[in-house]
Amino acid sequence: MPRFIQLEEFGSRDYLHLVERERPWPGPGQVLVRVLAAGLNPMDYKAYRSEQAAAHMGVTLPSGMGQDFAGFVEEVGAGAVRFQAGQAVLGTAPFAAIADFVVVPEDGQIIEKPDPLTFEVAGSLGVVGRTAMASEASLDLGESDTVLVSAAAGGVGVLAAQLAVHCGATVIGTASEDNHEFLETLGITPVAYGPGLADRVREVLDDGVRVTAVLDNHGPDTIDAALELGVPPERINTIAAFGPSARGARTVGGRAAGNAELAELADLLARNELMLPIDSIFPIERTAEAYGRLETGHVRGKIVIVTD
């Protein structure tokens, strides 16, 4: 019987259970995908920890878990013409992706997987990929920019930082000490996060150079440092602060990017012009343990669930 990760109560990952169910079938205009890999996102544990957060995301019990997937098309429904059985794809199936099978609309968040891209990377790409593309594009970065990227070793941050480097900007990235050498290999100048961030950024700037833009993936402390560094709010984009805590910064996220942007990013990764590190891989039976690692917050890139 096909397997499916199901959330049965709110409160903790202890309420995530591996259950069996009948194989789903694609309806008109839908695609059935056999999932090989599914990436984890912080929004998942925010949902299972808090009924209030879950309600904001439209999650009701019992619920599936996971957003992003990669695998092979198993079957297409009546009238579906974009994909065919056997085609490798990647995409997003909100709160349903950690399973042996998912059903998604063919005109939804699903694209063909480039051949060189591993299923582990492809299955991690949907949410963070669209978010990074939209965030970087929101500030129209170029060679004249010096950009501060917070949480630059995380799923969104590591892609956003590399996209900024790719467009010619000078990039400074916050991360834990364990990730500093890794960021340097990507052409990113690392600094430690935490109190005194603005001073540490000033220390790594060349004489006469100032930070001109900020991509925040961490929260209000990054915005405070950005303002201290003299960056105007309209040159700050945050995906981690909202309302008054955003301090007038832009709040452009993944909803501003679609399949075209995701395909562009997938191609950059497939050509090795960017990279998305895989922190760890867990079998579907150890999904709760995988979320435990994600909840520590000290993850380089993405954590992936595999079904085989």
Side-chain angles (χ1 to χ4, degrees), residues 136 141-142 147 149 159-171 215 274:
E136 188 271 337
L141 301 175
V147 187
V149 180
L159 291 173
Q162 289 178 88
L163 287 167
V165 171
H166 191 261
C167 73
T170 298
V171 180
L215 298 175
L274 305 179

Side-chain angles (χ1 to χ4, degrees), residues 131-236:
T131 303
M133 289 290 282
S135 179
E136 188 271 337
S138 72
L139 298 183
D140 193 25
L141 301 175
E143 295 180 1
S144 62
D145 282 303
T146 296
V147 187
L148 174 64
V149 180
S150 60
V156 175
V158 73
L159 291 173
Q162 289 178 88
L163 287 167
V165 171
H166 191 261
C167 73
T170 298
V171 180
I172 300 166
T174 72
S176 63
E177 295 284 350
D178 290 344
N179 285 313
H180 283 196
E181 185 175 349
F182 164 68
L183 290 182
E184 288 174 346
T185 68
L186 301 178
I188 299 161
T189 300
V191 295
Y193 56 78
L197 174 59
D199 289 335
R200 288 190 296 279
V201 171
R202 291 188 186 99
E203 289 174 2
V204 301
L205 292 172
D206 293 334
D207 290 343
V209 175
R210 63 182 184 87
V211 175
T212 62
V214 175
L215 298 175
D216 170 45
N217 310 291
H218 187 262
D221 55 339
T222 306
I223 299 174
D224 290 342
L227 296 174
E228 186 179 341
L229 290 164
V231 183
E234 63 270 20
R235 293 288 286 162
I236 303 169

Side-chain angles (χ1 to χ4, degrees), residues 239-273:
I239 64 165
F242 305 96
S245 64
R247 306 282 297 278
R250 297 170 181 263
T251 55
V252 177
R255 292 181 180 179
N259 286 344
E261 289 82 2
L262 184 59
E264 179 183 350
L265 181 61
D267 285 339
L268 288 171
L269 288 158
R271 297 197 302 268
N272 293 319
E273 294 185 34

Side-chain angles (χ1 to χ4, degrees), residues 36-38 40 98 120 278-294 302-308:
L36 297 185
L40 307 190
I98 307 177
E120 290 80 10
I278 300 300
D279 177 273
S280 48
I281 298 173
F282 291 81
I284 193 171
E285 296 85 357
R286 293 170 58 196
T287 295
E289 181 183 347
Y291 275 114
R293 173 156 181 77
L294 182 64
K302 297 289 289 183
I303 296 173
V304 183
I305 302 295
V306 293
T307 57
D308 287 342

